[in-house]
Structure formats: structure tokens, C-alpha cells
Amino acid sequence: MSGKITMAAALNRAIDEAMAEDEGVILLGEDVAAKQGGGVFKISAGLTEKYGEHRIRATPISEQAILGACVGAALAGMRPIAEIMLMNFLTVAMDQIVNHAAKLRFMSGGQTNVPLVIRTTTGVGVGFGGQHSDMLEAWFAHVAGLKVVTPSNAADAQGLMRAAIACNDPVIFIENILCYGLQSEDPGANHIVPLGKAAVAKEGTDCSIITYGRTVLDALEVAGQLAEEGISVEVIDLRTIAPYDEETVTASVRKTGRAVVLHEAVKAYGTGAEIAARLNEKLFGELKAPVQRLGGAFSAVPMASALEQSWIPTKDGIKQAVHATMNWKK
Amino acid sequence: MSGKITMAAALNRAIDEAMAEDEGVILLGEDVAAKQGGGVFKISAGLTEKYGEHRIRATPISEQAILGACVGAALAGMRPIAEIMLMNFLTVAMDQIVNHAAKLRFMSGGQTNVPLVIRTTTGVGVGFGGQHSDMLEAWFAHVAGLKVVTPSNAADAQGLMRAAIACNDPVIFIENILCYGLQSEDPGANHIVPLGKAAVAKEGTDCSIITYGRTVLDALEVAGQLAEEGISVEVIDLRTIAPYDEETVTASVRKTGRAVVLHEAVKAYGTGAEIAARLNEKLFGELKAPVQRLGGAFSAVPMASALEQSWIPTKDGIKQAVHATMNWKK
Amino acid sequence: MKIDRDKLLDIYTRTMRIAKTDEKFRSLLMSGKFASMYYTVRGQELVSAAAMAALEPTDYLVTTYRGQHDQIAKGVPLKPLFAEIIGKATGTCKGKGGAMHITHPDSGVMVTTGVVGSGLPIANGLAMAAQNRKDGRIAVTCFGDGASNIGAFHEALNMAELYKLPVIFICQNNRYGEHTAFADHTCVDSIVTRAAAYGMKGVKVDGNDAEAMYTVVKEAADRARAGEGPTLIEAMCYRMMGHFFGADFSYMPKEHLEEMAREDPLPRLRKLMLDYQYSEAELDAILADIDAEVEAAAQFAFDSPFPDASELRIDVYEEEIAA
Amino acid sequence: MKIDRDKLLDIYTRTMRIAKTDEKFRSLLMSGKFASMYYTVRGQELVSAAAMAALEPTDYLVTTYRGQHDQIAKGVPLKPLFAEIIGKATGTCKGKGGAMHITHPDSGVMVTTGVVGSGLPIANGLAMAAQNRKDGRIAVTCFGDGASNIGAFHEALNMAELYKLPVIFICQNNRYGEHTAFADHTCVDSIVTRAAAYGMKGVKVDGNDAEAMYTVVKEAADRARAGEGPTLIEAMCYRMMGHFFGADFSYMPKEHLEEMAREDPLPRLRKLMLDYQYSEAELDAILADIDAEVEAAAQFAFDSPFPDASELRIDVYEEEIAA
Ligand SMILES: Cc1ncc(C[n+]2csc(CCOP(=O)(O)OP(=O)(O)O)c2C)c(N)n1
Ligand SMILES: Cc1ncc(C[n+]2csc(CCOP(=O)(O)OP(=O)(O)O)c2C)c(N)n1
Ligand SMILES: [Mg+2]
Ligand SMILES: [Mg+2]
């Protein structure tokens, strides 16, 4: 497959393919239909024209109704996709996700299930401020019954979206607003990336950086810089945050003996805590240095650009963390 | 102070004292006024008679309106207390907590603040099933700006409630439904327990159990049993989950060299992950065994009693975890 | 207004199956044979019997914790229902859900929720599936007066009308939400006035009037099936006991208790049956059958095994979680 | 209906301070002097100028991301406003909040929220504080037509009426929520019909009619202060540009754009001023003052320092977080 594709286009293609294949795939969200221009990030551009207004439904500003309708449609055997404009807006509808989508399979003793994809976007670095930038994946990973997915590049976005739509359980699909326009290799049609499998984005032998989403790009850049210093960094892109691909991560850290866990979300009580805790459980006594954790500062995301840039882990900070693992002595 | 008091009575007393002292203290919640019997758990019994219907407001079933009103009243300088009947119902109103209560001090650059106590109850073991038993403290600990408190006994409940009402920031105050009726020593009037300070519930030298809420009682019982085997367990009752009393916990584990982290909430991505990660960071190379984590199973809380009892950490499980730290070899 | 005589018999049978089951549960709880949070449906039996009799078995139902009457009326068989509530492996949901979460797709019971108001948006989704598939199904959701104050109610009604979904919203207005009287949680006389806020058709009905209740739901179902959109029905009724079994209800004024007793749907329906020329003997024979069915169901439940701990790893995801 | 001549001048001044500020921001964005998500208030200037002129400075206001008109009308000084939006330490919120989260308690601006509908319940709380303290204050909250479909709207209105809170809900119906036209998100002709669902007083008004808008808000404020409870006001207006600065608005039909241009509140208000016997010269002198004020504010903002990284540890809690 030659050529490049943006993450936005890749997501559009994945949804388009799934809709062509299965009439049960429908999309609900604010402004998503043709009349409104195909979604504020244009992920559903062109789909109403192909599949009609009953399958691409522009909704009122009613996140509980959107997600509830998706839960109901999923129970009836459809494969709804909900677009929730920004991740923070999930907070008005957590009940439908946590008490219903996540639990109905279990609480019904397996009689029903909720094949639902909740697409949402977020990201730090665009000056959207405190109520439009949160990264809440740790909440969802803590809830049994949900899967949590986030791509770092266009090809994975396409392949993971296809897998998420095909999944018979609810998937929280997190898109990073800063990545929509980024191009990566075009994987071609019908590309599928299985859920639950991490990718080794770059091989290395000295230290593993475990991350996901946009910070994979930062990690790769830092790994390149560190290679010049003679430090061989392995970068693991989780792709699926939950269920966690413990096998791939543990194997990497067993090999390198050192780990840096990195995400944009607030560090405290973030997914990095679980990953670090598990590494310490699995590799107690085998680690050459304490696991380093990097994440967002412990505050709301500030609007002012100067502050926002201090809020997220910087490339310098990542480099320092790797150095800290390399130079660690008791 | 002689005599015993139940946690329910202790909470009632704390609120009563605070209301007597400051007219700005008000309570909102479903069924909380005298006309409805003073709350489904009777925590506000007798208060309407003393302070009137403008200070004890029975509300419609409208959690967003309840919490929003509390946020607004707090911004105006009142000290509202919200009673949200069960913790799962916070999911319909996370926005007011996370996007507003937690962030307004920061987003306003310190011009406003939200002195609000959100009281809620939950607990596994009463057969309330999947939508009425969740322990979501990890979510709130992940959100900068919130404090998270949970008492394990009546005296602490009283003292922490007074401190929470006096606090100038929003506090999530988690009560365990199984503890309301439990009696402990009556601390007398005007008892205050500062936020952010863990208690050493029992001293010991071989292994630290770090826990909070109802499982403190289990930990103490197990510690008693293990003492007979010659294992000296220290039990740390966090009391405040966030901010985390790192000093007390680290000191304990530095002393014992072994740690079991215990909570009822789902283990994966629970607060235990953060505690374990921090212990490994602070005490890398000093721990005699990997930190053991115990928490709820990775499923919704089942209703059937037989299953529910397998869902939570059992006393046997706690004992085994301590044994695992004692017997650990590479 | 008269309804079909066979239909009335159907309603009577559904009503009494509900009443006898509820009676049995209360006696089991009273005797201590099992313990559980139990939301009695005493007083609301007829509302759902008449409503569900107006639907097709394939129609979808979403109900709430106080939903046993809806579930039985919609056709959930008593054996797995008893077993579920008692927490047995043979329950509708293998004991995992419990009384608050009865699901039984074979009878169209898709969700029972314990969160006030959350069923309404879900019912929209079921209706949306039917609308897209043009399979002629409709969705019905039942909820209380108290639920009409929560955000999900508002969002769901607006969306339903916007898309003209084949859904019926049945508010069982039993005048109380937990311990809070209707007038203490809202300032309108009727929930049904809220229909106008969405341009929706709204109908208020005496839920204890079998003929009226049946007719109103039948009309709403016909409208929905014809693509004419949703209806909000406010069925007036009484919660004849406390919020849950054993709960204090001293906050209910004496006049309300008296009014409630006068309006008891069970004697009223019995009388109507006689008006429709059913004989005492016929009715008693039905009751005897139901009694036997209820006893057998309870026995089945008590005799059934408890779920195994391995169930915690099953039904979390499609794939079983590793031990 | 005529209003006080001085009051009209006050409204004019507020309107033009809003208009000139908005114009300045758009030109700064256009020239690339700074970049930000910016929700222009073009077309809605008069609605808030007239509304806020009917309030006391101590009254509370809760508004939304599209709230610059409300904030300025309520009295937020331009220097810290510009600085906040440009992300400077001298901003109202030290740059931490930004345009979507302007707070300025000295002018009564307590919250600006970026979450649709979330301001309404908060306004209730401010009103509740005033009600308990009997301090004579009232709370006002502004929101859009799209916001009237979210759960928080419903819960807040019901609660406000139940407690007879001194609060005014001003829905600025600009006919669009993002890219969705009014008729595509709701099936009623007017948001104000929803007031009846709560037993609340509702008033619909042409928001571009200074006299009417002022009068309606003044009456609602008087009612609220007198303890007679809340009012829902639907102020009809137009969002004369895209949802945010630079956003496509090709989805708006030509007739709508024409209607919008005809209804532009700025020329209309200018005409009204002349009717009230203000001279062109007087009005121009006011504009010159405002121009100078706006320029000075922009300059102040650009000259101000950026916030320091240590600010991340301040204002999270009352106590500073350790470095
Ligand atoms: C969101 C939410 N808030 C609170 C509760 C607690 N609760 C359970 S039942 C109930 C009263 C419901 O009243 P109504 O809707 O009238 O139904 P009824 O019990 O009368 O059938 C409340 C407040 C809940 N289950 N969900
Ligand atoms: C809960 C929530 N959902 C979605 C959004 C995204 N969003 C921002 S503005 C907007 C449209 C709001 O329309 P309206 O209420 O009419 O206000 P207007 O922008 O026209 O002033 C939407 C959907 C949001 N901010 N909050
Ligand atoms: Mg009721
Ligand atoms: Mg609008």
C-alpha cells in the first residue's frame, strides 16, 4: 500500500467499511450528519449521503440520551457507534457507560450484551482548558466490562476501529485531537488490528517506554535522540489500554530491566500506576531501577499555553526519566 | 468519654455541631428532611426540627441539580453538604463534581473555591447488586482538586466529617453502608480528625496492611489471628485516601519491609495500584517481598450472596497475602 | 369503555399472577426464609397487567427496580424469576443480577435498571433498532413519578419525539418517590403536562381502571407501530406499602392511606370481572392455578443450586477472564 | 414600551463595549496576533447588555463559553478580560481559566462553564445562598437553545420552581446549537413552552428589542427579589457568525442569513438611541471612549507576563502543593 493517510480519514474509512458490511452499524452524535457537515471533526463526512439519516443520526445535546439509545440499540443486536464530542462530556453520562453498558452482560447472566463503540476525543496542547482536555482512561480501565482503546497513528486508528466495531462488548475509543491531522502509512482497505495486543513501536535493549496515544510519538522521538547517546530504548504502544497486554509489556521489561511508563493523563492514580504496580509484582528483584512514571501535573489543565506546556510530560522530561533508570544506584 | 456510639449517630452529631456553629452549613439530598424521616439512613434525623427547611432541603431525584446547587451555594460562601444516596448515583452527576467542584478554584485563579462535602454511601455484602455497590474512590483520587475521605469507625467518622465541613475544598466523603450500625468509642463533642493524616490502627513489625474504610476491621481481625502465629502486622488506616499520607505509609513499610494493600474496590486500576507504585518508587531495593494487592474481583458486583462473598477480599485472602509476603523468595 | 372479554380475562390472569407472586415474596421475607431488598408492587399490579396485555410478546420492555409487576405481566416465567431473586444459578440471570436487574429477552424484558430514569434513553435505543429494521416492534418503558425529575427523562423524551421513535413512556404515578410526596418534588399537577415540552402526545389515565388503562396503551402502541411517534402515559396508581419491604411509611398521611385502600385495584378488578359475566368459580379456578404455579416456582428456587464462584469470570466480556 | 432614557444609554454603552471588544478579538485572530478557540458573540450583544442593565452589580451571573457579552455587560473590566483570553498572568484567572472560564466575583460573574447546561444548577445554588441569607441578591444564568435539551436544564428548572429560588434563566435562542438548527434538535416552537412543565413563569421576547428585553428581565428580577420565584426567559436572537471563530457556517440557509442581517441589533439600537433624542455626536463620543478602552486593554494584555509554571501547584487546593 503506497501513500499516506490522516487519522481522521482512516477513522472515516473504518466506519464506512463497517457500515457497508453491516446494516446494524449506526452512528449517533451531535452534528454528525450531512446537514451539519459530518461532525465537528468531520469523521463522519460523506456517510449520511451513503447510508441515510436513520443510520447517521445527528442528535440534540443530550449525551445521556445518545449513550442510552446506543445501549438500547446494542441490546437489540445493532452495532452503534456514539460520537461524544469531547471526553469531558462523558461526565454527564457516566451512568449509561458504567452502570449499564459495562454491566448488562454480567448482570443479565450473559443473556444480553452491548456491542457499542463510544468514540471520543481529547488532548492537551490546544489551549482548550480545564473542561475540554481531560484524559479519563483510568476511570474506564477500572470498570469491568469495558474495553479501552487509543491509537497513536492512522493505520492503527483504522484497524482498531474496525476491531472495536466488531467487538461484542462496549469499547471506549479515545482519539487524540492533535493526531487527527497527522499522516501515517496508509494500510489500505479492510485493515484490522486486534484489540488487546500491544505493538512494539521500536525495539531496544536498555529501557522500555510503555505508553499509548499521542505520547507514543514523543517516546519515539526521544528514543531516536537517546540512540545517538548510545541508549537503546524500546517503545511499547499499548493500543488497547484495557484489557492490558501484560505479556508483551512484561517481556519487554524483563529484557531491558528498566521501564518508564508515560501518559498525558494526570499521573496520580492514572493507568501508569497499575502498569508500574504490575511490573513490580511480576519482576520483583529483576528490575535494574525503579519504574519511572510520567503523566500530567496534578491540576486541571490550564488554558494559557505557557502553563499547558508545563503541564504535560515534555520530551526533556521523558529523556530525564530514561536517564534516571540508566543511572540509578541505591 | 465513656460509652459507645454508632457511625450513623456520630455522623449526625458532626453535622449537627457544624450546623449549630455556622449558618452557612446546609444539607441537600433526597428524603433528607423531617417530612421524609431524615434521610434513608437517618443521618439527618432531627436536624430539620432544629435548623429548618431552608437548611435541610429534601430534593427531587435530580443529582445534577443537587450537586450543582451545592457548587453554587459553596461559591457564594456557604458550606453545603450533599447527600447522594448511593455512590453509583454519582455517575449521573460526575460533571458537577469533576468539571466544576474540583476545578473552579484552579480555573478561576483562586478567586473562588468550593467548600462542599459530598456524602455518599456504598458497600459490598448487602446484596444490592451491580448498580448499588460500586467503590469509585480511585476515580476521585485521580481528579486534582478533590479530597477523598472514608472513615472506618464512628469516632473517625465524626471527626473527619467536622474536618471535611471545615475544609475549603470539595471533599468526597464515603460512608460504608455496613458500618452505619457499628459502634465504637464515643469521642464526645467537638471531635475533629484532620484530613490527610493516616492512623496506625495497630502497630506491628513484620508486615504493613494499608487499607481504609470497612476493610480496616477485617485487617485488624486478621492481624489479631496472625499475632497468634507470631506474625506482627501493622495496620494503617488511611482515613483520607487523597491527599495520600505518604509519610505515614512509607515509614510503616520502611520499618516492616513488607506491604499488603487492601480495598473493597475493584483491584485493577484501584487506589491500591497508586499506593503500590509509590511504595516501589520510594522503597525500591528495600522491600523484602513484592507489595501484595487485594481488591474486588474484575466484574460487576453480583447480587447472589454466594457470589458476592467471593467477590470481595476475604479474611482468608488477607491472611494468605500476608503469608505470601512473609514467605517470599525469588 | 368496554374491552374484549377475553382480553379482560388475560388482564385478570396477569394481575393475579403478579399479586400472588408479590404476596409469596412478602410472606417469605416475613418468615425470614430469605432476606433481600424487596420493592413490593402491591397496588400497581393492574397497571402493568393491562399495559402489557396491550403489547405483543416480541415488544421490548425496560423497567426499574420496582418492576416485578411489569416483568411478570410481560411474560417472565415464575421459576427463573423466583430463582433470580433468591440468588440461584437457575435464575433468569444466574443470580448475578438479582431482583433489581431481571432480564429475560424471550419475553422482551431487555433491562431492569436500579438507577432512576436510566431506562428511558435505553428504551429509545430499542425503539430505534425497531425503526431502522422496520420489524414492527415497539419499546415500552415504565418508571415512577419521581423519575420524571431526572435529566435522563428530559433528554429521552425530546429525542424520542424528534426521531418519532416507536416507544411508549409509562409513568406509574404512585404519588411518592421513596418518602417524598408528589407535591414535594414537583410543582405541576400532572407529569403528563410535561409531554407538551417536547411536542409529544400525553395521556393521563386511571391506572386502576383496567378498561381505560388497556385502551390507552393499545392506542399508543398502534400509533407507535404506525410511525406516528411516542406517547407519554401517566397512569395514576398507589404504592400501597412502604418504598421497600419493611420500610417505614409513617410519613404517608392518614387520608392518603384511606384513599389508597378505597382504590385497591384487586377488589375493583374482581368486581369488573363479575360485570363481564365471569363467575366466581371461574375466577377462583384461575387463582388456584396461579397459587400452584407460584408455589412450584418458589420450591424450584429454593431447591436450586447457588451459582459457582467461577461465574465471576464469566459474562464480564464475551471471552471468559482467565482464572 | 418606553424605558428610562439614562437606562437606554447604559444599555447602549454596554452593547458597544461588547461589540468593540468582539471586533478587536476577531481582528487579532484574523491578523494572527494570537490564536485561540474563540466563540464570537456577534449578533447577541444587545441581549445581554439589556439583561444585565436590569440587574444590580451584586447579583450573580453564571454563563457559558459563549459568554463574553454577558461578562462585559455584567461589568468585567476589559484589561483582565483581554489578558485572560490571551493567557497572561494578569488575567482575571491568571491565565489558568481562559476565555471559556472567566470568573470575576467583583462583578458577580461567578462561573463561566464550557459544559453545555451545567451552569443552570449552579445558578440555583447561588440563588439558594441568597434566599437563605435574605440578602436581596438574585442569580441569573444564560445559556443557548441547544442547552435546553440537556438533563441539567430540566433538573435545574424543576428544583428552582420547587424552592421558589430567586433565579432567572435566560435562554439566548440564536436558532443554532453548533451546526444544528433549532428545528433539528427539538419539536417545540419555543423553548419557553417548557416553563409550563415546571409550573414556572415563562416569557418569550425579541432579544434585539432593547426596551422589551430590559423590561422583561427587570420584571423577572423584581419577581425573584420579591420571593415569587424563578422565570424562564427566551430571548430570540441570531448568532451572526459560525459556532466559533473561523468555523464554517455554510449549513445556514440563505434566507436565514438574510433575516439575520436584517435583524442586526447594532444598527437597530443606534436608531433607537436617535429616537430617544441622543445625538450622533454623543453616540460617537461614547464609541471613541470605548475604542480607547479596548485598545488599552489589548495593549495591557500583550504587555503582561505569562504565568509562571509554579502556578500549577497553586489554587488546586487551598494549601499549595509541594514542589
Ligand atoms: C439516580 C438515582 N437516584 C436515586 C436513587 C434512589 N432511589 C431509588 S428508588 C427512588 C424513588 C423513585 O421514585 P419513583 O420514580 O416515583 O418510583 P417508585 O419507587 O415510586 O416506583 C430513589 C430516589 C436511584 N435509584 N437512582
Ligand atoms: C455537555 C456538552 N456537550 C457538548 C458540548 C459541545 N458543544 C459546545 S457548544 C455546543 C452547542 C451549544 O448550543 P447552544 O446551547 O444553542 O449555544 P450557542 O453556542 O448557540 O450559544 C455544543 C454541542 C458541550 N460543550 N457540552
Ligand atoms: Mg413513585
Ligand atoms: Mg444556540
Side-chain angles (χ1 to χ4, degrees), chain B residues 30-31 61 63 85 89 92 132, chain C residues 39 44 64-66 114-116 143-148 150 172 174 176-178 185 239 243:
Chain B
E30 292 153 16
D31 295 321
I61 308 174
E63 280 79 5
M85 206 178 283
F89 310 154
V92 299
H132 285 65
Chain C
Y39 298 93
Q44 300 179 217
T64 70
Y65 56 91
R66 192 184 315 286
V115 185
V116 164
F143 53 94
D145 49 304
S148 74
I150 202 156
Q172 301 186 6
N174 61 12
Y176 277 90
E178 295 224 340
H185 66 64
R239 186 191 79 196
H243 174 58

Side-chain angles (χ1 to χ4, degrees), chain A residues 31 35-36 40 42 59-64 85 89 92 128-132 297-299 301-304 306-307 310-311, chain D residues 84-85 87 95-98 100-101 113-116 146 149-150 178-180 184-185 251 307-309 312 316-317 321:
Chain A
D31 295 322
K35 218 166 160 181
Q36 297 86 25
V40 289
K42 308 280 176 203
T59 68
I61 308 175
S62 309
E63 280 79 5
Q64 295 191 67
M85 207 178 283
F89 310 152
V92 300
F128 279 8
Q131 291 181 336
H132 287 63
F298 197 67
S299 80
V301 178
M303 190 285 299
L307 278 181
S310 312
W311 191 92
Chain D
E84 186 61 30
I85 293 174
K96 292 173 165 182
M100 269 201 269
H101 304 300
T113 181
V115 185
V116 164
N149 295 323
I150 202 156
E178 295 224 340
H179 311 179
T180 304
D184 292 328
H185 66 64
Y251 49 83
D308 188 81
L312 292 177
V316 178
Y317 298 114
I321 293 183

Side-chain angles (χ1 to χ4, degrees), chain B residues 62-76:
Chain B
S62 309
E63 280 79 5
Q64 295 192 68
I66 296 170
L67 290 175
C70 286
V71 169
L75 288 171

Side-chain angles (χ1 to χ4, degrees), chain B residues 167-305:
Chain B
C167 178
N168 285 325
D169 289 302
V171 177
I172 312 289
F173 197 99
I174 306 167
E175 302 163 13
N176 193 305
I177 213 166
L178 286 94
C179 294
Y180 278 135
L182 296 186
Q183 299 208 325
S184 58
E185 203 153 328
D186 184 341
N190 289 311
H191 177 61
I192 294 180
V193 173
L195 303 188
K197 284 300 297 168
V200 180
K202 177 189 168 302
E203 294 200 6
T205 52
D206 294 329
C207 178
S208 306
I209 301 182
I210 298 133
T211 186
Y212 51 78
R214 195 194 56 72
T215 44
V216 171
L217 308 179
D218 291 346
L220 288 171
E221 197 178 320
V222 168
Q225 293 168 10
L226 288 168
E228 292 170 24
E229 297 180 20
I231 301 174
S232 167
V233 171
E234 178 148 307
V235 178
I236 305 290
D237 178 353
L238 287 184
R239 304 198 289 199
T240 299
I241 300 172
Y244 171 61
D245 183 356
E246 182 141 43
E247 208 180 318
T248 303
V249 175
T250 314
S252 171
V253 181
R254 178 164 283 135
K255 177 177 73 178
T256 61
R258 298 180 186 90
V260 172
V261 184
L262 165 68
H263 52 59
E264 280 183 84
V266 166
K267 175 178 154 185
Y269 304 88
T271 59
E274 179 72 22
I275 297 171
R278 284 180 185 239
L279 286 172
N280 282 298
E281 284 159 18
K282 292 274 162 180
L283 301 172
F284 187 80
E286 294 182 52
L287 293 170
K288 296 178 190 147
V291 177
Q292 301 287 318
R293 283 191 292 152
L294 295 175
F298 197 66
S299 81
V301 177
M303 192 283 301
S305 170

